[in-house]
Amino acid sequence: MEGSCVGRGQWVPQFKERNRIGVWGFGSVSKDVVLLLIDRSLGKEVVFYGRPKEGFPDRAKAWAADLMANSLNRPRMLGTNKVEDMAGLDAIFIGVGVPRRPGQTRSDLLAVNTKVIAETTLRIKELYDCVDEKDLPILVYMGNPVTAMTWVGYKASGFPRRNIMGQAGNLDSRRICHAVSTRLGLSGNDMQGIVFGDHGDTMVASPRYFSVGGIPLETIIKSQGIDPRTVTDIIQAAKSGGTHFVNEVGRSASAGPAKAVGRMLRSVVSGEAEIQPVVAVLEKEYGLIKPGEDLDSMGFGVPARIGCSGVEEIIELPLDDVQDQIEASAEFVKNDIRQAARILKGRYGID
């Protein structure tokens, strides 16, 4: 649902169909996202772009053809190696970006992925340079560190910030819900939660913003006589779910992240707005960018109303119990963004 905000809490609905969905990149998460879109019949057409690779010039086309042959009652689908086929889309999941390799620092990874995300986004920008602002696609990013990479996408695209979001919070919150529910002896299907900040060690998760069957988590654990520190320890361990997966499997997760992307795209494509934890582009929200700082915006994990207009509203919640953690996470992210900003300015002339 698209709309205009005429006052706090007053949303005038205007419906816009987002039927053509693009997936950019031939990585494992991208392929899992395509499979999810087809299986759930999200949208009316899915366009899957994979750049030509030596010896495999049109791998996305071949992969899509095999999927189409074995998928009934599906949306239209195109697998392509032509960038121009990604024009005219309503939403694009951008699944490019390299994982961290052994011996590589976070700074090293950020430098590599800033270039990958910037160059991919600049190619997308070229496709939409003559498009009216209301017809620009919603861009969903996932490359790490995702808070900074979402901001890189915002700067490189020149799109309104509502059109830009990153995936991390959905994945992290579900991992926490699963871990806590296991301790409670529950399925976790009726547990929900919100996380804040960066994706990784400085992510902030307060039990205050988790619930089970509509009952606050803190109330549930108190009623069952569970030591709150036990839940805090479980949450802390779940925050490292991605690292644990890599250690156990030998590569980054793909199915879980794809499911998390699917939840975001479902709200965007269907127009049924939801409040979800996403990486959004902040300016004044939460007061994290201080007066006199050298930044005018930043990517940060927050709860937001997302729908066919993208990030329709950033939800600001009281965070007194974790304010110090929020500030620490924000400083970590801002340092990443400053490094990315230097690369964007020096290499691409982007301010």
Side-chain angles (χ1 to χ4, degrees):
M1 182 170 60
E2 190 176 76
S4 58
C5 193
V6 296
R8 191 166 186 84
Q10 300 177 48
W11 190 262
V12 180
Q14 299 170 8
F15 293 93
K16 175 181 174 62
E17 289 188 344
R18 291 197 177 272
N19 288 322
R20 300 191 71 229
I21 311 171
V23 176
W24 190 300
F26 198 72
S28 296
V29 177
S30 293
K31 286 180 278 191
D32 283 350
V33 168
V34 172
L35 182 60
L36 182 146
L37 294 172
I38 295 297
D39 282 350
R40 295 189 181 178
S41 293
L42 283 176
K44 293 180 180 177
E45 183 174 16
V46 176
V47 183
F48 180 30
Y49 169 75
R51 64 178 176 80
K53 184 178 180 181
E54 185 176 356
F56 305 96
D58 212 349
R59 49 194 178 152
K61 180 179 180 180
W63 192 90
D66 185 60
L67 177 58
M68 285 189 285
N70 292 279
S71 301
L72 305 178
N73 303 315
R74 53 171 172 74
R76 294 189 306 274
M77 186 176 181
L78 172 67
T80 182
N81 62 1
K82 299 176 182 177
V83 170
E84 54 266 31
D85 288 333
M86 299 297 283
L89 299 174
D90 297 309
I92 305 174
F93 169 66
I94 301 163
V96 300
V98 301
R100 189 186 296 191
R101 296 183 173 87
Q104 190 178 45
T105 66
R106 182 186 177 96
S107 180
D108 294 335
L109 178 67
L110 187 144
V112 171
N113 277 344
T114 294
K115 296 170 188 174
V116 172
I117 295 295
E119 290 171 9
T120 299
T121 304
L122 288 170
R123 298 186 81 181
I124 293 172
K125 181 181 181 181
E126 289 177 1
L127 296 173
Y128 294 89
D129 263 348
C130 297
V131 174
D132 190 279
E133 184 175 293
K134 67 180 176 60
D135 296 320
L136 291 172
I138 307 301
L139 305 183
V140 181
Y141 291 87
M142 200 190 67
N144 278 320
V146 67
T147 41
M149 293 305 104
T150 301
W151 180 85
V152 168
Y154 167 60
K155 286 294 184 178
S157 69
F159 287 12
R161 63 176 178 143
R162 68 174 178 271
N163 286 65
I164 308 295
M165 63 179 86
Q167 190 290 118
N170 256 319
L171 176 66
D172 291 326
S173 63
R174 289 311 311 163
R175 284 173 171 168
I176 290 171
C177 286
H178 175 72
V180 173
S181 295
T182 298
R183 171 61 181 82
L184 296 175
L186 300 171
S187 70
N189 293 338
D190 60 349
M191 185 171 179
Q192 294 182 316
I194 294 290
V195 296
F196 300 83
D198 193 30
H199 171 59
D201 293 340
T202 66
M203 180 180 68
V204 181
S206 170
R208 177 182 182 183
Y209 289 119
F210 282 79
S211 64
V212 184
I215 304 170
L217 176 59
E218 292 175 324
T219 301
I220 287 287
I221 62 176
K222 184 177 180 180
S223 71
Q224 296 194 3
I226 298 173
D227 187 337
R229 289 174 296 183
T230 300
V231 173
T232 301
D233 290 343
I234 292 171
I235 290 175
Q236 189 62 35
K239 285 166 57 175
S240 302
T243 301
H244 175 75
F245 187 96
V246 171
N247 291 341
E248 293 295 324
V249 179
R251 65 180 183 85
S252 297
S254 62
K259 289 278 190 180
V261 170
R263 286 191 289 274
M264 296 170 69
L265 289 176
R266 194 201 66 79
S267 286
V268 169
V269 172
S270 70
E272 295 181 332
E274 295 180 357
I275 294 176
Q276 295 189 21
V278 304
V279 177
V281 178
L282 306 190
E283 291 177 349
K284 297 180 181 179
E285 293 86 4
Y286 284 98
L288 297 177
I289 299 177
K290 311 302 181 186
E293 283 194 305
D294 54 345
L295 297 173
D296 59 6
S297 58
M298 65 184 292
F300 202 69
V302 291
R305 173 197 171 107
I306 65 171
C308 72
S309 297
V311 180
E312 297 177 345
E313 182 183 3
I314 293 169
I315 309 299
E316 295 191 68
L317 301 174
L319 296 171
D320 300 347
D321 56 327
V322 289
Q323 189 62 45
D324 290 346
Q325 296 176 52
I326 293 287
E327 294 287 347
S329 187
E331 288 305 313
F332 199 72
V333 171
K334 284 188 280 188
N335 286 335
D336 281 349
I337 288 175
R338 290 185 179 101
Q339 180 184 345
R342 289 192 291 270
I343 296 171
L344 290 181
K345 177 67 173 176
R347 193 177 182 95
Y348 308 104
I350 299 172
D351 288 314

